[in-house]
Amino acid sequence: MPHLHHFAFASLAALALVTASCRAPGKSKAQGSPNHVFYPGPPASPRYQFLVGFGEEKDLRGDKGGFASFVVGEDPTSQAIIKPYGIAVQDHTVHLCDTIAFAVDQVDLRTGKLHYFRPEGPGRLGKPINLAIDADGTRYIADTAWGVVLIYGKDDRFLGSIGARGTTKPSDVVVQGNRLYIADLLEHGVKVLDKDSRQELYRIPKEGESEEGQIFSPANIAVGADGKVYVSDMGSFNVKIYAPDGRFLRRLGELGDHVGGMVRPKGVAVDRDGRVYVVDAATEVVQVFDAEGRLLVFFGESAGSRGGLVLPAKVVIDYDHLEHFQRYAAPDFEVEYLLFVTSQYGPNKVSVFGFGHRRGESTPPPARGPVTEQKSAPSATASAKSP
């Protein structure tokens, strides 16, 4: 059975053919199922399938083959997601930071209903860009307009904020265990706080860190199961990786639209096996690297296609809600976990992909892919606006 590193070669060859346009079609069709979009293409075994995309309620309620099972009226009101960036999925609900709606869009996967969380008073949202949800339902929302992280309880009660307008500008927030990680554009780094006291423990990069370990424009952060911190740095066109104590370890990627290159890295996520997912808003694909930083595959297609990403922003991994999406998988494709990718434009504001394997094939071990060549001259043809 082909392992992940086997399909990397097919992916690299495909990517070399599309760097002129910065698009990555790379799809294959399941036998007897012409609408199924897989990555990588044949002859490699597929590992990712585009499952479904949605941008408003009617996409979820069955009007276009959505995943809600109940019947709606002839002309139902359909609320829309306008311009999402950050995303979190918990308790059968997709939470989206909608930067134009001044709200967090809450999409119920069981009913297809969309609710706008738009609080008033001291907890009013300015420009929510990213969010994190703790196990107890506490929500942390990075707001670039107010320059703070706003905190809400599971009951929507405003609990306070972290930061100070004019001196901080949080771009992302992650909660893991008893720690909060806050990326700050004005302070050019990541602050690590004690979750309960909200007191700062240390910063990334640490004082005296090498030039290579400095952060210029932190867009998004992810924390692996091993505690390593991944920071997508738009200012240096790469992802920087730090040890749990904040020591710089290495970078992932470099400027360029070539294989393994990055133009405008934004969302970053790490799965349980150490695979790293990086969204590039300029090339409009999600690249997948192994734990050693070698490119495995990429997914996403040109605008207008079923799996198309249009100015993508964030990617998150979800292991808990397969029940809502397995029906979209090809009959012989078993989904192991989900990847939600937000697009700021286009009809699919949220695209859902599945990582998995064909029935009868065992799941490959964590990949050890080839070291990619990175020699092409950088050039981006896609527009990538700031958040």
Side-chain angles (χ1 to χ4, degrees), residues 307-336:
L309 304 176
V310 186
L311 198 61
K314 194 69 178 282
V315 55
V316 297
I317 297 168
D318 177 74
Y319 294 89
D320 301 325
H321 299 90
L322 297 180
E323 63 190 270
H324 299 294
F325 299 97
Q326 181 63 52
R327 71 179 68 182
Y328 295 102
D332 62 344
F333 191 74
E334 296 185 359
V335 178
E336 298 172 43

Side-chain angles (χ1 to χ4, degrees), residues 10 30 76 86 104 117 159 169 199 272 350 383-384:
V104 172
F117 174 64
L159 302 178
K169 190 175 183 179
Q199 296 298 307
R272 292 171 179 171
V350 179
S383 172

Side-chain angles (χ1 to χ4, degrees), residues 1-4 7 39-48 333 356 358 361:
M1 184 212 71
H3 284 189
L4 280 175
F7 71 67
Y39 308 88
S45 295
R47 292 299 173 209
Y48 298 89
F333 191 74
R358 289 195 185 280
E361 294 181 346

